[in-house]
Amino acid sequence: MIERYSWAPVGGVVGKRYIPVVRVSFHTEKACYQLKGEITEDSDNTDPTSQVLSVTTQKTMDAPAGTISITLAGDKWFRSQLIMPNDMVVVQMGYKTIKGEELSTVMVGLVDRIRRTRSVEGGMNTYITARDFGKTLIKSNVKFYPELEGKTEQKNLFLASDGWLKLMNYFRGDLVSKGTPAVILDIIMRFILPKLNNVEWTVWDEAKTEPIPKKVGLTHVLRYNFAKINMMIPQFFTLDQYEGSIWNLMERTSIKPFSELFVDTRHPDEAWNKSGKPRVINETIEQASDESKAKFPKGEGYYPSPRFSFGKDNSVVGVFMRNTPFDQAAWDQLLAHEISAEDVIDEDLSYSDEEHYNLFWAGTTINALGIDLKRAAPPVVNEKAVLRYGLSPLEVEVEGLALSQDDPNAMTQLTEMVAGLSGKLKAWFENNHLYLNGSMTVRGNGAFKIGQRLRAKGIIKEFYIEAVTQTFNVYEGWTTTLQLTRGRDLKLGASSEPVTTASSQAGSSGIKPAAEAVKGNNYTVRRGDSLWSIAVKVYGKGDDWMKLWSANKDMLIQRDNRNVSQPGKYIYEGQVLQVPGGSKQ
């Protein structure tokens, strides 16, 4: 049963007027309560005695779960217990136009609390707070209680006396024990999470007046796409006797800050675009639940198909992992929004050296070779910045790299990894003091999502969206506040496509790509080149510098044996490098 509550009249829309409208749907065991609110010119028409007063959603890249806050006038929903904790809630926001309602699904979540307040002046209100489906990853904990075995009907992993063995069995395969982050996260999503959270929710088809309610589990709702990250990690060893939140385990596996791991509600074309490069991941997807029907037979580890979608735009809820867009090619592939001066209500932007770093090093906690990594692969330093700002080091440790002590190439692999990760840190963080950061409040727009770009032509800048707050109030309207970082110059060419400056290019030396330096499968080193900048020129990604190193290391070491401990750091003008796979020039 769908119960629709609408206190605002329809009509009166003429010309190009846009009227903010919000739909909040609570999917409960008994019914779907669909509340609607919109802003009207005639304040006499608003009689919010039992309806929506305000809705606020907030999603931040660094927080595992987004939040929802809803204010309802009166205490009907509290007193009658129509809405209860862990009911599903869907928030849609948009505008009423001459073409009808144009809504975006902003967030899908689960209710945390229903609270009633009473005051002499304000009367009674009901406040509802919720979190998006990141909540399920936070609350799903790996725990073992062997003393409960045989005393409960639950057969979940955390109740088994041989729980450690069962858990480790999922990571014993050759492809998993020393696997990439995507492979290991896939195992967590398919085998472990469903055992820890087998809750089912009642969901109603909001397009029908008398729909048949469906029971859906977590794997119907929470899908996933994981990008390929070229790093093998020894998860089999580091997982030993792990107890704690699934989200913490997934963060450890995803090797932040070199990747971004987040839960979000996305339009299906953006989340699962099969016609080209996926716009959330922006790169090769190594593991995805969307292809599970063909990939995994029915049974344990099977993700049911089709996925369940929400809202008028059929949005889907997913867990996404992608490489942090360190280099220019990845940055350019991020979905971008353009705003003009009339869209901006308020802005607070600044330059700051609070997060400026000028020494960078990334290593491993687990070092099977027993060497001093900082001596083998020294930190990368921006000496000019040190003289101006003082030493500001940034050190990051990942848990480990899957290496064998008997492998003669293990030393090279380890130092290459350290050099590569240190270079990524430098590319992403060393220019923070040159970037605009802060917040911007604009006319409400439900399409803005974390991890996308914002082009602001009025100030000729483009930004990275770190957080999105949607605020709807029946008396004040609808606004979107964006937390922005990495504000850099944009150049508008004939195609109106922005291009970042060379100085903000990840790992760039400021030298423009020179097609004449690349001939076939060879590249002639020019003054100021590095393996990273050459890889950007010939492959489009600085991360691929290791291809150049592997193909040329004998020649480079012979010319300068310092390249043994600092792979590829010492190259000289006029050297001819082999370029595996040819050039993109």
Side-chain angles (χ1 to χ4, degrees):
M1 177 175 63
I2 304 290
E3 294 191 19
R4 296 182 172 90
Y5 295 81
S6 176
W7 50 264
V10 178
V13 182
V14 295
K16 296 182 179 179
R17 262 194 91 72
Y18 293 89
I19 298 176
V21 58
V22 61
R23 287 186 180 272
V24 180
S25 303
F26 294 97
H27 295 258
T28 74
E29 293 287 336
K30 297 180 179 179
C32 175
Y33 302 111
Q34 189 182 84
L35 287 73
K36 176 184 174 183
E38 69 184 35
I39 311 301
T40 65
E41 279 189 23
D42 187 357
S43 61
D44 292 337
N45 287 333
T46 60
D47 181 23
T49 56
S50 61
Q51 302 302 323
V52 176
L53 291 179
S54 67
V55 179
T56 300
T57 66
Q58 183 174 46
K59 187 67 187 176
T60 304
M61 179 67 76
D62 291 336
T67 60
I68 306 171
S69 299
I70 303 167
T71 305
L72 307 177
D75 71 339
K76 168 185 175 181
W77 306 97
F78 179 88
R79 183 182 67 253
S80 302
Q81 295 185 327
L82 298 178
I83 302 168
M84 296 298 290
N86 219 42
D87 283 341
M88 189 180 297
V89 55
V90 181
V91 177
Q92 301 175 75
M93 291 182 175
Y95 290 93
K96 184 186 291 292
T97 71
I98 56 176
K99 296 180 181 179
E101 291 182 355
E102 299 177 359
L103 298 174
S104 297
T105 304
V106 172
M107 196 170 289
V108 179
L110 300 169
V111 173
D112 284 330
R113 173 183 289 189
I114 305 95
R115 178 168 59 98
R116 180 180 66 185
T117 63
R118 187 196 309 262
S119 67
V120 175
E121 295 180 355
M124 288 186 294
N125 289 328
T126 300
Y127 295 91
I128 298 173
T129 57
R131 284 177 287 174
D132 71 10
F133 268 79
K135 170 183 177 179
T136 60
L137 302 178
I138 299 171
K139 296 193 69 174
S140 297
N141 279 268
V142 178
K143 293 287 183 180
F144 301 104
Y145 302 102
E147 62 273 16
L148 296 181
E149 187 173 28
K151 299 179 181 179
T152 174
E153 295 181 0
Q154 293 294 324
K155 305 299 181 183
N156 287 352
L157 189 80
F158 56 87
L159 296 179
S161 59
D162 56 350
W164 298 119
L165 180 60
K166 283 190 175 181
L167 180 63
M168 298 306 292
N169 279 339
Y170 290 120
F171 297 93
R172 287 187 182 278
D174 291 339
L175 295 177
V176 180
S177 62
K178 296 182 179 180
T180 64
V183 169
I184 296 168
L185 288 176
D186 173 65
I187 294 295
I188 293 172
M189 292 296 296
R190 283 198 293 127
F191 293 100
I192 299 176
L193 180 61
K195 286 181 174 294
L196 303 181
N197 192 317
N198 54 11
V199 175
E200 287 189 329
W201 295 272
T202 302
V203 179
W204 305 74
D205 186 348
E206 295 189 58
K208 299 179 180 178
T209 304
E210 296 295 335
I212 299 175
K214 294 182 179 179
K215 288 286 188 180
V216 299
L218 185 60
T219 50
H220 289 92
V221 179
L222 192 62
R223 317 297 283 195
Y224 62 90
N225 274 358
F226 299 142
K228 183 174 181 58
I229 296 178
N230 294 319
M231 181 180 294
M232 306 295 284
I233 54 179
Q235 186 69 28
F236 173 79
F237 303 105
T238 61
L239 187 67
D240 183 35
Q241 296 196 350
Y242 174 82
E243 283 192 289
S245 164
I246 281 289
W247 176 257
N248 289 339
L249 179 60
M250 294 176 72
E251 280 199 309
R252 285 172 53 185
T253 305
S254 67
I255 55 173
K256 287 187 171 184
F258 306 105
S259 70
E260 295 176 324
L261 179 70
F262 55 93
V263 179
D264 207 5
T265 301
R266 298 288 176 125
H267 188 280
D269 287 344
E270 185 186 354
W272 316 107
N273 183 7
K274 297 180 181 179
S275 61
K277 293 183 178 178
R279 288 184 285 176
V280 174
I281 298 298
N282 300 317
E283 51 201 329
T284 302
I285 296 177
E286 185 170 0
Q287 298 290 345
S289 59
D290 214 39
E291 301 297 336
S292 61
K293 191 163 65 169
K295 201 170 187 180
F296 312 112
K298 287 190 175 182
E300 190 178 28
Y302 172 75
Y303 260 59
S305 184
R307 58 181 177 267
F308 205 88
S309 57
F310 300 91
K312 294 184 70 173
D313 55 353
N314 293 315
S315 287
V316 292
V317 183
V319 186
F320 304 99
M321 181 188 69
R322 68 184 184 196
N323 289 274
T324 303
F326 289 112
D327 59 45
Q328 189 66 43
W331 175 270
D332 289 339
Q333 290 175 23
L334 297 177
L335 184 63
H337 303 276
E338 288 191 357
I339 60 169
S340 56
E342 55 265 29
D343 294 318
V344 180
I345 298 171
D346 191 17
E347 70 173 44
D348 183 359
L349 302 171
S350 64
Y351 296 102
S352 170
D353 68 346
E354 291 179 0
E355 293 188 2
H356 166 73
Y357 301 99
N358 46 45
L359 181 145
F360 309 90
W361 188 81
T364 61
T365 304
I366 300 173
N367 178 3
L369 303 182
I371 62 174
D372 184 347
L373 280 180
K374 286 187 179 178
R375 290 184 178 273
V380 181
V381 184
N382 184 329
E383 295 183 10
K384 185 179 293 186
V386 172
L387 292 176
R388 174 168 173 77
Y389 298 100
L391 182 63
S392 299
L394 175 62
E395 295 190 14
V396 174
E397 288 191 347
V398 297
E399 285 203 26
L401 186 68
L403 293 172
S404 171
Q405 292 177 310
D406 299 326
D407 186 350
N409 296 317
M411 174 70 176
T412 299
Q413 293 175 17
L414 187 57
T415 55
E416 284 180 353
M417 186 210 74
V418 172
L421 295 182
S422 299
K424 286 186 174 185
L425 291 179
K426 180 177 184 293
W428 192 245
F429 291 105
E430 77 168 336
N431 290 320
N432 279 1
H433 60 297
L434 303 178
Y435 296 145
L436 273 176
N437 301 280
S439 65
M440 188 177 293
T441 299
V442 300
R443 184 173 72 93
N445 189 329
F448 290 124
K449 300 290 183 178
I450 57 173
Q452 298 175 340
R453 286 186 294 160
L454 180 72
R455 299 168 176 169
K457 291 185 176 180
I459 56 176
I460 319 179
K461 295 286 184 182
E462 66 174 342
F463 299 88
Y464 190 67
I465 301 176
E466 293 274 0
V468 180
T469 301
Q470 303 284 358
T471 305
F472 177 91
N473 187 289
V474 70
Y475 301 113
E476 299 175 5
W478 174 30
T479 61
T480 301
T481 299
L482 307 172
Q483 292 298 321
L484 304 171
T485 60
R486 312 192 65 75
R488 56 181 73 183
D489 294 337
L490 68 85
K491 295 181 180 178
L492 301 179
S495 63
S496 296
E497 288 293 324
V499 180
T500 54
T501 61
S503 63
S504 65
Q505 164 78 34
S508 171
S509 60
I511 300 174
K512 295 181 180 179
E516 63 271 18
V518 187
K519 294 183 179 179
N521 292 323
N522 294 317
Y523 177 89
T524 302
V525 177
R526 304 179 61 172
R527 183 182 297 275
D529 273 341
S530 66
L531 290 189
W532 183 284
S533 66
I534 296 170
V536 172
K537 297 175 186 179
V538 299
Y539 297 121
K541 289 173 52 179
D543 293 350
D544 288 337
W545 72 274
M546 291 188 209
K547 294 181 182 178
L548 298 172
W549 165 250
S550 298
N552 297 279
K553 62 182 180 181
D554 291 339
M555 180 267 290
L556 295 177
I557 291 173
Q558 184 176 0
R559 170 65 188 271
D560 194 323
N561 62 13
R562 289 179 295 178
N563 282 314
V564 174
S565 59
Q566 302 179 62
K569 181 177 180 180
Y570 298 96
I571 62 176
Y572 297 90
E573 184 177 3
Q575 285 182 306
V576 178
L577 303 180
Q578 296 181 29
V579 180
S583 166
K584 288 189 175 183
Q585 300 295 328

